[in-house]
Amino acid sequence: MRLKISLLKEPKHKELVSCVGWTTADELYSCSDDHQIMKWNLLTSETTRLVKLPDDIYPIDLHWFPRSIGGEKQSHAESFVLTSSDGKFHLISKLGRIEKSVDAHCGAVLAGRWNYEGTALVTVGEDGQVKIWSKSGMLRSTLAQQGRPVYSVAWGPDSGKILYTSGKQLIIKPLQPNAKVLQWKAHDGLILKTDWNSVNDLILSAGEDCKYKVWDSYGRLLYSSQPHEYPITSVAWAVDGELFAVGSFHTLRLCGKTGWSYTLEKPNTGSIYNIAWSIDGTQLAGACGNGHVIFAHVVEQRWEWKNFEITLIKRRTMEVHNVINDAVDLLEFRDRVIKASLNYGHLVVSTSLQCYVFSVKNWNTPLIFDLKERTVSLILQAERHFLLVDGGGLYLYSYEGRLISSPKYPGMRTDILNAQTVSLSNDTLAVKDKADEKVIYIFEALSGKPLGDGKPLTHKTEIVEIALDQKGLTSERKIAFIDKNRDLYITSVKRFGKEQKIVKIGTMVQTLAWNDTSNILCGIQDTRFTVWYYPNTVYVDKDLLPKTLYENEASEFSKNPQIVHFIGNLVTIRRSDGSLTHLNISPYPAILHEYVSSSKWEDAVRLCRFAEDQTMWTCLAAMAFANKEMATAEIAYASIGEIDKVQYINSIKDLPSKESRMAHMLLFSGNSQEAETLLLQTGLIYQAIQVNINLYNWDRALELAVKHKTHVDTVLAYRQKFLEDFGRKETNKRFLQYAEGLEVDWNKIKAKIEMEIAKERERAAASPAVRASVTVQQ
């Protein structure tokens, strides 16, 4: 990826340009010390003087009123705030008319920013004050008073916090009174610029120590650049939070979100005092010290999938390279390319007005449909359909271009969604809520309605990243997520009434990805690269989970690596310096998943014998038990030396009724409550009591016996034997109460138990379904 620079031979402004701002993706306003406000039209390459400001107004900063007001989207911004050296800020219409001038600070007003809703304006000045104003320019509050000038300010993602500079310090102050203020030393020199992105929640800072830095919202340093030759005078995030730009003297740099540099340009600009990204994130403009306005387009973006490599060589042209036969195709578009995604055999491209869907089998005839006015900010693909996200909503389309659904949820803000907070599979869509970061909304893909009982998934702490598995049945769909503590959890997306178990399967996890063809999960845990070959093991036999993992040293990826994708048996990881690393994992687990999903159990056993790998046998043991394939489970458990479990599986096979077998399988997986419920629902009262006796849940066993008026003496007998074995006396009042005057007769109890077993056998024999299954087994 690089920047394609365009710079006029002669500057349009006579003095330094202090600030620039985009109204639409093709129209820019610039303000200069020559008191001129210029309008630049990139479609016609025309530059017109909009207005000449009074001679005492030297503009410093410009920010357009947001395009989103109360959920209603405007096609373009209508007014902007201009801060100036005379201590005022000016509200100016698009036509250049000064609607209002407000005395704001003593000394110059160094920066002004609208919040995301357009309901408030923050200004900072040479007097060290941070002030909040209403939309109409009325003073609401003075948030802070510093003893030194505040050079830059930014709103937090939820418009509830303000980030501002104070000398070498960065300060985050919430708008709520008495809330905790976060302050830290960020640079060794004066901090000149800062920016806070609403999508990735990361902070940029730049200073006179000639460095730019990336921070998280807790003030932790994620990246620090090497010192440049000159102070960094400007930094700015692209809207989607994937890129940012850095400006200095004769220097313009494009960086990935974690700080590493894509490209470094050395244009003849003087210092770049201000950088503004266009709304669609495809280009940026810089305000230059020598009177120029520099424009730069992002080109040579690259997408890879299997044997295809696609490069955006021009704004409207893509080059497709098939590395197998070296074939090259050129794809031409009517408008400039804004977003693209390549996966599952399809390339989805959004331009400013249309969406193109290509199949990798045929590059000549794309399917094309029109988009709404809003710019697409995210494309996600699944095997059967894809998701487009823009400022107005979520839209699921089939690869034939048919709109499938448009899910909605309360307080939906789609402008701040990214690939970490939205996940798509063939039947499910999951979206992390920004208003309450502990909540994940889960929708049916086909209808757009909430899944299950309609309640969202709620976790105990804030969630950072989510990912849905891609294969298997909807009823077995799993979602993995990382929370703020960097713990990795997994749970089922099907949620009816009772809370589904959310189980922790990893700690210190920085990044994760599901495989595209089988439900294998990989992640980077602290200093280890880990693959969970069968994460569902945690619901079947959690003791086996550590034995189903593949682990490798991950220190080579250095700090903050990101998994880009996990396709086939190839994992692509982006290191913190921006380079891509590829890791191959064993192909056998994916083949095992394929055999199991096709119920080819004999082939699965043969594969494990061929591979001679304990991990494979462990995965097969869990898979077979989950699918109630007892014969295969027995072979697999025997192969990993779990003799006690082999014996228990044998005892399950000998149980007379289907319900008993099901209940004991639930017990095997640690779901004693579900096992008891199943037995009670099917009228197997004694078996439910016996389950609690075996688990030493004495109180529950007695409670069931008393409630159903049966086998009270059985419970008391087993309890008495248990206490005798340990040489203890009864102290439980309930047991003492029911044992009073009761003589334990083991012969009688054994006869009752045998009678219960005989009754269960008769019942099982009477069931036609069971008779049929017994015949088949024989």
Side-chain angles (χ1 to χ4, degrees), residues 518-637:
S518 50
N519 291 339
I520 299 172
L521 180 68
C522 73
I524 294 176
Q525 276 188 289
D526 201 12
T527 57
R528 302 187 313 282
F529 169 73
T530 307
V531 182
W532 289 264
Y533 284 136
Y534 187 54
N536 202 40
T537 305
V538 80
Y539 290 106
V540 180
D541 184 353
K542 63 182 177 191
D543 300 341
L544 291 185
L545 187 68
K547 297 178 183 177
T548 64
L549 306 184
Y550 163 78
E551 292 186 308
N552 200 358
E553 182 63 37
S555 54
E556 62 180 289
F557 307 132
S558 62
K559 202 173 137 191
N560 296 326
Q562 278 291 120
I563 296 173
V564 181
H565 40 65
F566 182 11
I567 294 171
N569 56 324
L570 188 71
V571 183
T572 305
I573 297 167
R574 194 178 290 283
R575 293 168 36 157
S576 55
D577 62 0
S579 60
L580 289 173
T581 308
H582 301 282
L583 276 180
N584 270 306
I585 64 162
S586 167
Y588 295 138
I591 299 168
L592 184 64
H593 273 272
E594 196 180 319
Y595 283 154
V596 168
S597 63
S598 309
S599 299
K600 296 179 179 175
W601 296 103
E602 288 179 13
D603 291 343
V605 170
R606 269 201 294 274
L607 177 68
C608 290
R609 283 179 178 145
F610 171 77
E612 293 183 347
D613 182 4
Q614 287 291 91
T615 310
M616 291 281 288
W617 279 116
T618 311
C619 289
L620 181 61
M623 288 170 172
F625 199 89
N627 285 278
K628 305 177 181 60
E629 191 63 37
M630 292 305 173
T632 309
E634 210 175 328
I635 296 166
Y637 272 110

Side-chain angles (χ1 to χ4, degrees), residues 465-468 478-482 488-491 512 514 521:
E465 187 174 344
I466 64 174
L468 287 162
K478 297 287 186 292
I479 185 167
F481 60 86
I482 303 171
L488 174 62
Y489 290 84
I490 188 169
T491 185
L512 80 159
W514 286 98
L521 180 68

Side-chain angles (χ1 to χ4, degrees), residues 57-87:
I57 295 180
Y58 286 88
I60 295 175
D61 193 23
L62 170 162
H63 193 224
W64 282 92
F65 193 75
R67 287 155 54 88
S68 162
I69 308 161
E72 291 297 314
K73 309 292 177 203
Q74 303 180 121
S75 57
H76 48 265
E78 294 294 339
S79 64
F80 61 92
V81 62
L82 184 72
T83 70
S84 59
S85 58
D86 60 355

Side-chain angles (χ1 to χ4, degrees), residues 135-200:
K135 182 178 170 181
S136 59
M138 301 290 288
L139 180 64
R140 283 186 182 163
S141 65
T142 301
L143 195 68
Q145 262 175 311
Q146 304 288 122
R148 59 188 73 175
V150 179
Y151 285 96
S152 187
V153 68
W155 288 91
D158 58 357
S159 296
K161 294 175 182 172
I162 299 282
L163 165 73
Y164 60 93
T165 67
S166 174
K168 300 173 184 179
Q169 308 270 326
L170 280 177
I171 301 169
I172 295 176
K173 183 156 187 178
L175 296 185
Q176 293 92 359
N178 305 323
K180 189 182 173 190
V181 176
L182 184 64
Q183 180 171 344
W184 71 97
K185 184 187 173 190
H187 287 262
D188 295 324
L190 194 68
I191 301 172
L192 299 174
K193 278 282 168 144
T194 186
D195 197 10
W196 193 347
N197 187 262
S198 63
V199 178
N200 61 30

